[in-house]
Amino acid sequence: MNRFNTTRPLLIVLLCALLPALPAAAQSPNTHAHSFGNVHKWAQIFDDPARDAWQKPHEVIQALALKPDAVIADIGSGTGYFSARFANMVPQGRVYGIDTEPDMVKYLADRAKREGLKNVIAVAAQPGNLQLPEKADLIILVDVYHHVDSRETYFRNLQNSLKAGGRLAVIDFRMDSRVGPPKSSRIAPEQVKAELQRAGYVLREEHAFLPDQYFLVFQPGKP
């Protein structure tokens, strides 16, 4: 069984990422007090085109050099900011948008129908169960890594969800980034590398084009 040990809804991660786009009064460290009941309101924030300037989704996807039939698991997919874009890049593949927030899972499923993204599957995960229907060529966590509990155990188990030669991509906020969660909640890239090495991964690529985030790509194996 794949473990996804996080105690908070994954959409809180996206809220942390996008706080600089909100009025100053909303830039509070206590982001967990927000309700995600009005999913359409949050979609306007999460999918705000202004996010593209620093998230650089097209460049991220291009750097991953995905095959047209790739199977992708987008952990913490939220409203589908990345899932929808992946779907257009892998027309013969499948994109699993995985989240623990029921309203967001429903929103992504509705979005896939509305936009004709037949290869997007919204998956409702439980705090202790990823519920990934098949093995993936790529598992990606964007602004989610720092919310995963028992990370070494979790990512060691996550290897079972990767195909042979599959990759794990981690994008999260640098310690000195202008946006994102409070610094006390961030995890330095050196720590990510060390934790994933202990979990049985090897760093294959490190991209430096994101202005506020690190972008690391790993594979299971030995150095």
Side-chain angles (χ1 to χ4, degrees):
M1 180 180 293
N2 302 319
R3 313 307 295 177
F4 184 38
N5 297 322
T6 179
T7 58
R8 306 160 189 148
L10 294 180
L11 270 298
I12 290 172
V13 179
L14 289 177
L15 176 60
C16 292
L18 292 165
L19 280 175
L22 299 174
Q27 298 185 37
S28 166
N30 187 21
T31 59
H32 312 303
H34 290 279
S35 168
F36 294 97
N38 189 343
V39 65
H40 296 285
K41 179 186 74 173
W42 293 117
Q44 293 177 8
I45 298 171
F46 300 148
D47 296 318
D48 187 339
R51 179 181 177 185
D52 296 354
W54 55 268
Q55 190 68 82
K56 299 185 181 296
H58 181 73
E59 290 90 336
V60 167
I61 294 173
Q62 289 293 110
L64 289 167
L66 298 161
K67 294 181 179 180
D69 62 350
V71 176
I72 302 166
D74 180 11
I75 297 180
S77 53
T79 57
Y81 179 86
F82 265 104
S83 292
R85 289 170 169 82
F86 278 129
N88 290 315
M89 296 300 292
V90 293
Q92 301 165 31
R94 286 173 297 285
V95 180
Y96 293 100
I98 302 167
D99 212 291
T100 59
E101 178 65 45
D103 286 347
M104 293 300 171
V105 175
K106 183 180 184 302
Y107 181 91
L108 178 56
D110 292 343
R111 176 178 182 173
K113 291 179 182 179
R114 184 173 65 252
E115 298 181 11
L117 302 174
K118 296 181 179 180
N119 57 341
V120 171
I121 301 96
V123 178
Q126 299 300 318
N129 193 339
L130 187 60
Q131 302 283 11
L132 185 60
E134 64 176 310
K135 292 191 176 185
D137 295 289
L138 173 72
I139 295 177
I140 185 167
L141 294 88
V142 179
D143 310 333
V144 172
Y145 186 90
H146 66 281
H147 277 257
V148 178
D149 296 329
S150 304
R151 286 187 293 272
E152 291 180 33
T153 299
Y154 170 67
F155 285 102
R156 188 176 295 110
N157 292 336
L158 197 63
Q159 292 188 30
N160 296 325
S161 294
L162 283 170
K163 294 182 182 180
R167 295 174 293 166
L168 169 69
V170 176
I171 297 175
D172 220 311
F173 293 98
R174 298 198 312 266
M175 302 303 291
D176 62 347
S177 66
R178 304 161 299 164
V179 296
K183 290 186 178 180
S184 60
S185 298
R186 302 180 192 182
I187 299 176
E190 292 77 18
Q191 182 176 341
V192 176
K193 295 174 189 177
E195 289 178 351
L196 289 181
Q197 182 179 25
R198 291 193 294 270
Y201 292 82
V202 177
L203 179 66
R204 296 300 188 194
E205 297 177 79
E206 183 169 0
H207 301 285
F209 59 82
L210 294 174
D212 296 292
Q213 299 155 299
Y214 48 86
F215 179 6
L216 311 173
V217 181
F218 300 85
Q219 283 183 311
K222 297 180 180 179

